[in-house]
Amino acid sequence: MRALRPAAALFLSLVLALPAVPVAAQSGPQLESPTIHDRIPPAVPVASKGGMVVAQEARAAEIGADILRRGGNAVDAAVAVGFAMAVTYPRAGNIGGGGFMTIHLAAPNIQTTIDYRETAPAAITRDSFLATDGEADPFKSRHSALAIGVPGTVAGLVMALERYGSGKFGLSDLIGPAIRLAREGFPLDGDLADSLPAMQERFSRWPSSAKVFLKPDGTSLQPGDLLTQPDLADTLTAIARFGTKGFYHGPVAERLIAAIRDAGGVMILDDLNNYQAIEREPLRGRYRDHDIIAMPPSSSGGVVLIEMLNILEGYDLARMDEAARLHVTIEAMKRAYADRAAFLGDPAMVEAPLGRLTDKGYAKELRDGIDLKKTTPSDQLHAALAPPRQEGDNTTHFSIVDAAGNAVANTYTLNFSYGLGLVADGTGVLLNNELDDFAAKPGAPNAYGLVGGEANAPGPSKRPLSSMTPTIVLKDGKPVLVTGSPGGSRIITTVLQVIQNSIDRRLGIAAAVAAPRIHHQWLPDQVLAEPGFAPEVMRDLAARGHHVVIGPPATSANSVTVTPEGVVGAADPRTRGALAAGAE
Ligand code: DON
């Protein structure tokens, strides 16, 4: 056990004073998991020589595959899928939220990322999400218009197209299918049909939302009913004609601000006018002869993923029995998530020790502290590098590979399922509640049970720390795996296990995606396990001191691998409606 420095001890006492509510039992997005199956059904691999799009909604996946067939590259297809899912998968696909895109281009050989995370409006302060008693107020950060971040998706998708599209398709070509679906409507099916009825109460708070998603009698649309979104079709048309100006300036922007302010938010036109997506150098890791291309902050995804992989590289996972492999995997998760809480935030505001956190030597120090026989309790783990400075201080993923070997991993979100549930009147745009991803107060958990400190405190124009982890794995410079997932705090551990299943366990992509997963996030000190593990393995973990909670399947890692036989996609079987669409 490492000695705690005073500031770290104070931070820990704050977070450990929290009630030990199992993550699975917390209210909020866990209850809105896109999962509908009690057990994990098998996944079906789909092979194609002409490229592949795997997305959570079938119409959008087909739109992307069609762009590939017509000679578009993976980025063109990603832009088309991104706009289409804003229409066909409104619980997470969006233009009113934000996300991250990781790109690999084959020629020239380039890897890059686009951070289109929402930012806090300039009027947000450190105290914006506190109640009058000084405690974190989850209503403010999750269910009020204060939670709305300045949307980044339109800027992000347009930047991707302008910088890395093939040049064969204009924005209007790629938005066209989304506009048609919004205008003409489509029947509710798949995960949309499963999730929409549960949202009746949230939509009935706002007449502008009820107009789109409820029937005139106030009840929810049902499976098979037609969902038409004419205002959204007009907004998308403005974007198709005027690019980012059609959204961040002019009538659409004015309507967004009017709706947000009517609902009690603090965003102003300047916030929209000033929004910028940011192209960032990817975070790069190396794992058993593979290159890991991942998101740097403002997502924690890449840092935490690479830190965990570095710790695990020191074990011969392929030869370990299942309980031993799970044990060291959980120990790696606990240590990396402890660092996440202490150090990570918007890189424009805090300087995180990224080099050290992703360093193999640091990983060895952490690995040396792992006892193979028993777990290290979370209260004995802390960020070892520097004290947190508290004294001063429903998502969806798609993966695309084209025939030329270009790849895109894209994860974007409104945070909760359907975000805040507020459609800005006259725009059709569902707004996010992303600002709950800030640490409203040091040690106060967000909706996913994640804690943080000064590095992730709310602040004007700041990006809240994300867990989204769109990732591309290269072997000898070529993509072999494209993956990512929704799931809040569970995103990064999901991506870890898809990589582990592919590289260490040598499972094909369908099995790698379908295999049951575990999750630990340092605090609370518990392992969430999906159904499907052998009871004796779970008993073995308990004997090593782990508090194991078996919960329903969660997260949805729509992934693609590139094999000698061609490109193979696997839609995660946990959720209805996802599709691996080959472009042959
Ligand atoms: O950025 C984040 O980490 C969260 N806002 C993601 C939310 C999420 O994944 C919800 N989906 N299941």
Side-chain angles (χ1 to χ4, degrees):
M1 169 179 162
R2 288 168 280 171
L4 292 183
R5 296 183 195 135
L10 172 60
F11 179 68
L12 264 179
S13 64
L14 281 168
V15 292
L16 294 174
L18 298 165
V21 184
V23 173
Q26 287 168 357
S27 63
Q30 278 72 31
L31 302 179
E32 300 161 11
S33 153
T35 301
I36 57 150
H37 299 288
D38 294 339
R39 305 229 139 245
I40 305 164
V44 182
V46 175
S48 159
K49 297 230 184 273
M52 176 73 58
V53 178
V54 189
Q56 195 54 57
E57 199 281 322
R59 290 176 188 83
E62 289 290 10
I63 287 167
D66 186 51
I67 297 292
L68 295 184
R69 266 178 229 120
R70 290 162 55 203
N73 70 6
V75 176
D76 298 329
V79 172
V81 174
F83 281 112
M85 287 185 76
V87 177
T88 61
Y89 196 66
R91 68 179 296 181
N94 69 81
I95 56 172
F100 300 91
M101 185 184 287
T102 304
I103 299 171
H104 165 82
L105 288 191
N109 185 350
I110 290 174
Q111 295 84 39
T112 191
T113 71
I114 296 178
D115 172 339
Y116 58 97
R117 181 69 159 168
E118 300 92 327
T119 54
I124 289 292
T125 68
R126 171 182 303 265
D127 298 340
S128 290
F129 304 110
L130 301 182
T132 45
D133 63 2
E135 293 305 316
D137 181 344
F139 183 83
K140 283 187 177 169
S141 64
R142 294 172 202 174
H143 304 296
S144 87
L146 281 178
I148 303 169
V150 184
T153 298
V154 174
L157 296 180
V158 170
M159 178 183 274
L161 181 65
E162 285 176 351
R163 298 193 181 176
Y164 299 106
S166 67
K168 293 182 189 151
F169 294 87
L171 191 56
S172 56
D173 303 321
L174 301 175
I175 300 185
I179 296 174
R180 272 191 297 283
L181 281 161
R183 182 115 30 230
E184 291 164 15
F186 60 94
L188 288 199
D189 54 17
D191 183 51
L192 180 59
D194 295 333
S195 63
L196 200 58
M199 292 295 123
Q200 188 172 332
E201 197 182 321
R202 190 173 310 166
F203 290 137
S204 58
R205 270 179 84 191
W206 322 100
S208 51
S209 309
K211 206 165 67 183
V212 180
F213 293 112
L214 302 180
K215 296 181 184 174
D217 67 359
T219 60
S220 181
L221 294 175
Q222 294 301 318
D225 286 348
L226 200 67
L227 175 64
T228 50
Q229 301 170 82
D231 287 344
L232 183 57
D234 289 345
T235 297
L236 289 166
T237 303
I239 300 167
R241 291 180 64 188
F242 304 115
T244 52
K245 284 211 160 36
F247 184 82
Y248 293 100
H249 298 259
V252 170
E254 281 159 22
R255 286 189 198 116
L256 289 171
I257 295 302
I260 291 167
R261 296 196 70 92
D262 266 5
V266 293
M267 201 184 296
I268 58 173
L269 256 183
D270 269 357
D271 291 315
L272 280 174
N273 296 171
N274 294 337
Y275 182 83
Q276 298 285 344
I278 301 175
E279 182 171 4
R280 299 188 194 275
E281 177 57 23
L283 206 62
R284 293 168 193 270
R286 186 97 185 130
Y287 183 68
R288 304 194 205 283
D289 297 331
H290 292 76
D291 292 303
I292 310 294
I293 310 299
M295 269 323 295
S298 61
S299 179
S300 62
V303 184
V304 175
L305 175 67
I306 291 170
E307 189 173 333
M308 293 188 294
L309 287 170
N310 285 345
I311 296 171
L312 291 169
E313 200 179 35
Y315 299 104
D316 190 355
L317 297 179
R319 284 171 195 276
M320 283 173 136
D321 67 48
E322 189 171 22
R325 174 171 52 77
L326 292 176
H327 172 72
V328 294
T329 302
I330 294 162
E331 294 304 297
M333 291 172 178
K334 291 171 88 160
R335 284 157 176 82
Y337 274 78
D339 282 342
R340 178 194 195 280
F343 295 110
L344 300 182
D346 183 347
M349 315 281 172
V350 289
E351 204 181 323
L354 298 188
R356 176 99 168 107
L357 290 171
T358 58
D359 175 66
K360 300 268 186 200
Y362 176 56
K364 180 173 183 322
E365 283 170 34
L366 295 178
R367 191 165 55 240
D368 287 347
I370 293 177
D371 182 336
L372 291 176
K373 298 226 159 42
K374 69 181 190 348
T375 185
T376 312
S378 290
D379 60 4
Q380 292 177 22
L381 292 174
H382 65 98
L385 300 171
R389 289 166 290 174
Q390 73 266 30
E391 56 283 90
D393 106 295
N394 243 316
T395 307
T396 190
H397 176 81
F398 55 83
S399 298
I400 302 179
V401 175
D402 67 23
N406 304 305
V408 171
N410 187 88
T411 314
Y412 69 158
T413 191
L414 293 164
N415 194 26
F416 283 15
S417 186
Y418 301 92
L420 183 61
L422 169 61
V423 174
D425 201 19
T427 69
V429 176
L430 255 174
L431 292 160
N432 67 83
N433 60 347
E434 211 75 61
L435 303 193
D436 185 57
D437 281 346
F438 282 126
K441 190 181 172 182
N446 76 353
Y448 305 96
L450 288 168
V451 292
E454 177 59 19
N456 191 30
S461 309
K462 197 170 168 185
R463 284 164 147 87
L465 185 63
S466 175
S467 299
M468 288 185 268
T469 315
T471 301
I472 299 174
V473 179
L474 307 177
K475 181 93 194 284
D476 303 325
K478 298 206 165 67
V480 289
L481 173 64
V482 184
T483 189
S485 179
S489 55
R490 299 172 74 140
I491 292 173
I492 321 172
T493 56
T494 296
V495 172
L496 171 73
Q497 288 164 94
V498 173
I499 294 175
Q500 208 180 64
N501 290 343
S502 304
I503 296 179
D504 294 295
R505 303 177 70 195
R506 296 175 183 274
L507 300 180
I509 193 62
V513 163
R517 300 191 270 257
I518 47 161
H519 171 72
H520 200 302
Q521 60 183 54
W522 178 47
L523 296 174
D525 195 352
Q526 64 177 10
V527 182
L528 294 179
E530 290 184 322
F533 289 104
E536 59 274 18
V537 172
M538 296 294 103
R539 278 197 293 273
D540 187 322
L541 289 181
R544 292 176 209 236
H546 296 286
H547 176 51
V548 181
V549 178
I550 313 265
T555 76
S556 184
N558 298 313
S559 306
V560 178
T561 46
V562 183
T563 70
E565 290 73 47
V567 183
V568 185
D572 196 313
R574 289 163 179 77
T575 312
R576 236 159 54 88
L579 181 73
E584 245 165 355

